Amino acid sequence: MENVAVIPARFASTRLPGKPLLSDTGRPLIQHVVEAARRAKSLRRVVVATDDRRIADAVAAFGGEFVMTRADHATGSDRVAEAASLLPEAAIIVNIQGDEPEIEGSTIDHLITLLERDPEAPMATLATPIRDGAIYHDPSCVKVVVSTRGRALYFSRSPIPCHRDGLPDFPTAEPPGAFLHLGLYAYRRDFLLKISGLPRSPLEAAEKLEQLRVLEAGHPIAIGVVEESSIGVDTPEDYRRFVERWRRAHPG
């Protein structure tokens, strides 16, 4: 049995069309993500899941592995689940976003270790302490409350937990006043196939957060805390900054 990373990649993007194929560094963005994932010691394979032949051709050109998926998936997780159905030899599936070219291999290894150390948890994800009050209040930033066992209690776009007697000093609060959820997931393969077949749950529909389907169905989610998150590429400005960092690290 293998640990396999699946990277969902689609061509359409509201803020950055054709994102996986942007190549200002001399190689497509999806190649950077694959190469970053390959640095994880605990992974045996890295597979790109796409419905776009242009992306598949780009992956093949740099020697990567891909699977073709349906075009009508509502979420990246659904695309990952379809890819997982084609990988019967996989034990753990890691869902790595296709816009994370600077993700650390050690971060992926840490995520997989969470499942290896918690046999009762079918799914794991990561969080980082919130050190900025603006992030705490931003509905685009998903917050998570964590139990003393390192399990998720709830995820929300709202500021949680509510600090009734006044907000903590976010830059220095110990313990942290809140945790920011990071969109990196690991699943036991059989569980991923099971949960992807369930209908959208009421809390999931309300918050527009897929992971709430898991909690609402009564399944635990292991949470690992890391000090910093990787920098995703969502906008043209994000990509420009990534290219600048890459060129500084690879002069000439």
Side-chain angles (χ1 to χ4, degrees):
M1 302 297 285
E2 302 173 340
N3 299 328
V4 181
V6 176
I7 304 171
R10 63 190 185 97
F11 191 85
S13 172
T14 302
R15 290 183 288 182
L16 195 54
K19 178 164 56 175
L21 302 183
L22 296 176
S23 303
D24 290 357
T25 63
R27 62 188 69 175
L29 183 64
I30 191 65
Q31 181 174 352
H32 287 287
V33 181
V34 169
E35 291 173 349
R38 284 174 174 170
R39 290 193 280 270
K41 297 178 181 179
S42 54
L43 291 175
R44 289 291 300 276
R45 296 168 68 185
V46 178
V47 180
V48 175
T50 185
D51 63 350
D52 193 289
R53 177 50 61 178
R54 291 166 292 185
I55 295 174
D57 289 345
V59 173
F62 66 76
E65 183 179 359
F66 68 88
V67 296
M68 296 301 296
T69 59
R70 301 198 322 264
D72 60 347
H73 287 303
T75 68
S77 296
D78 292 331
R79 194 177 308 282
V80 170
E82 183 186 352
S85 71
L86 305 174
L87 301 168
E89 67 283 4
I92 292 175
I93 299 287
V94 182
N95 180 350
I96 299 175
Q97 301 301 312
D99 56 9
E100 293 279 353
E102 296 172 291
I103 190 169
E104 296 287 343
S106 58
T107 298
I108 300 170
D109 291 331
H110 176 50
L111 183 65
I112 292 174
T113 298
L114 293 173
L115 289 186
E116 293 175 342
R117 292 179 177 176
D118 190 347
E120 296 178 356
M123 174 179 170
T125 189
L126 300 176
T128 191
I130 292 178
R131 301 301 186 189
D132 183 342
I135 292 175
Y136 177 70
H137 290 286
D138 187 344
S140 68
C141 298
V142 178
K143 278 68 69 175
V144 59
V145 177
V146 185
S147 76
T148 56
R149 289 191 63 188
R151 301 266 185 85
L153 293 174
Y154 193 66
F155 298 86
S156 182
R157 297 183 184 279
S158 296
I160 58 171
C162 174
H163 294 274
R164 189 193 67 174
D165 297 327
L167 293 178
D169 181 5
F170 280 106
T172 61
E174 292 293 342
F179 288 97
L180 174 70
H181 176 234
L182 306 179
L184 181 69
Y185 299 98
Y187 307 86
R188 302 190 196 281
R189 176 180 177 271
D190 291 346
F191 176 76
L192 173 59
L193 298 181
K194 172 184 175 181
I195 203 71
S196 66
L198 296 180
R200 176 181 288 192
S201 70
L203 291 175
E204 176 188 4
E207 295 259 17
K208 300 298 186 290
L209 297 174
E210 301 166 51
Q211 60 270 36
L212 290 176
R213 185 188 314 178
V214 176
L215 295 185
E216 204 162 357
H219 302 289
I221 300 176
I223 301 289
V225 175
V226 296
E227 282 305 311
E228 294 184 3
S229 62
S230 61
I231 304 173
V233 175
D234 292 319
T235 67
E237 181 63 19
D238 291 338
Y239 184 66
R240 184 189 64 78
R241 287 194 290 261
F242 161 68
V243 171
E244 290 177 351
R245 290 191 298 272
W246 191 87
R247 286 175 174 167
R248 285 197 297 269
H250 302 82

